[in-house]
Amino acid sequence: MEEVVIILVKPQLGENIGMAARAMLNFGMHSLRLVSPRSWPNAVAVSSATHAAKIVEQAKVFDSIQQATSDLKFLYGTTARSRDLNKEVISSADLRQDLNKLELPENKIGILFGPENSGMDNETIAVINRILSIPVGTEFGSLNLAVAVGIICYELSKTKALQAKCQVKIKPWLLNETSQFCSNI
């Protein structure tokens, strides 16, 4: 199955890796790459992933962003901070629409998430194609890594979920009883 690749850059906490994997699985995603995790392999990441432990165990680990993205054709990077770089910024809500314009196989597209303590540095931002922004309140604009991954995976899954055919079958007798109930109200 082709899917967008989730790339965690220098993740520090095993809990965040595991919970990011869990969020990925919630929305049907499986392709996780790690760039220079603080501690690897990480038993806490596996235990935090719960039923998504397989995603953590099968995550590909790289020493550099260049290695982790060498087979990808288009990169998004998430950041909460405004940058003085000449990069197009799109909202997470517009991600699926933007992906559809690219006309690339989804397994050739990556989304980078920076380290928990600092987010992405300018060198990383320089190699991405577009900045992906998750709209948050003005009082506190920093999201937990796993929460940010969850929001992006949700946005990626929305169109796929809408395209899936609805297979709800209503038994005829239930429909009749519901109509009779409603007519008595």
Side-chain angles (χ1 to χ4, degrees):
M1 175 183 165
E2 293 184 1
E3 61 183 36
V4 172
V5 178
I6 300 297
I7 305 164
L8 307 183
V9 179
K10 298 180 183 176
Q12 300 171 0
L13 301 175
E15 293 89 345
N16 281 336
I17 297 169
M19 288 186 274
R22 189 175 180 172
M24 289 172 63
L25 187 61
N26 285 147
F27 299 105
M29 299 192 65
H30 304 88
S31 186
L32 176 63
R33 297 181 186 182
L34 307 173
V35 177
S36 302
R38 179 186 282 176
S39 171
W40 200 259
N42 191 308
V44 175
V46 173
S47 66
S48 297
T50 312
H51 298 291
K54 191 171 186 175
I55 293 174
V56 174
E57 292 164 348
Q58 293 178 350
K60 295 178 182 174
V61 180
F62 299 89
D63 292 326
S64 70
I65 293 170
Q66 291 74 22
Q67 291 172 344
T69 61
S70 65
D71 64 323
L72 303 175
K73 303 293 182 202
F74 198 90
L75 299 173
Y76 292 92
T78 59
T79 184
R81 293 183 287 157
S82 61
R83 307 292 179 136
D84 291 329
L85 299 171
N86 191 15
K87 296 283 179 180
E88 183 179 355
V89 179
I90 66 160
S91 168
S92 57
D94 298 327
L95 176 59
R96 176 49 68 187
Q97 181 181 357
D98 197 62
L99 283 170
N100 291 338
K101 293 178 191 174
L102 293 179
E103 297 181 7
L104 287 170
E106 288 191 356
N107 66 348
K108 296 296 180 188
I109 298 168
I111 300 178
L112 284 78
F113 296 82
E116 294 99 315
N117 66 342
S118 61
M120 273 196 265
D121 57 27
N122 285 343
E123 287 178 24
T124 304
I125 297 288
V127 302
I128 64 171
N129 300 97
R130 287 197 184 104
I131 294 174
L132 185 55
S133 177
I134 300 171
V136 294
T138 57
E139 192 172 331
F140 186 65
S142 179
L143 292 172
N144 170 275
L145 175 60
V147 171
V149 170
I151 291 169
I152 296 303
C153 291
Y154 165 74
E155 292 295 345
L156 289 169
S157 74
K158 283 194 317 189
T159 300
K160 289 180 182 180
L162 292 174
Q163 290 173 349
K165 291 183 179 179
C166 181
Q167 298 296 322
V168 177
K169 295 181 181 178
I170 300 175
K171 296 181 180 180
W173 59 266
L174 182 59
L175 189 57
N176 289 336
E177 286 183 14
T178 303
S179 297
Q180 289 173 357
F181 174 76
C182 291
S183 66
N184 291 327
I185 294 180

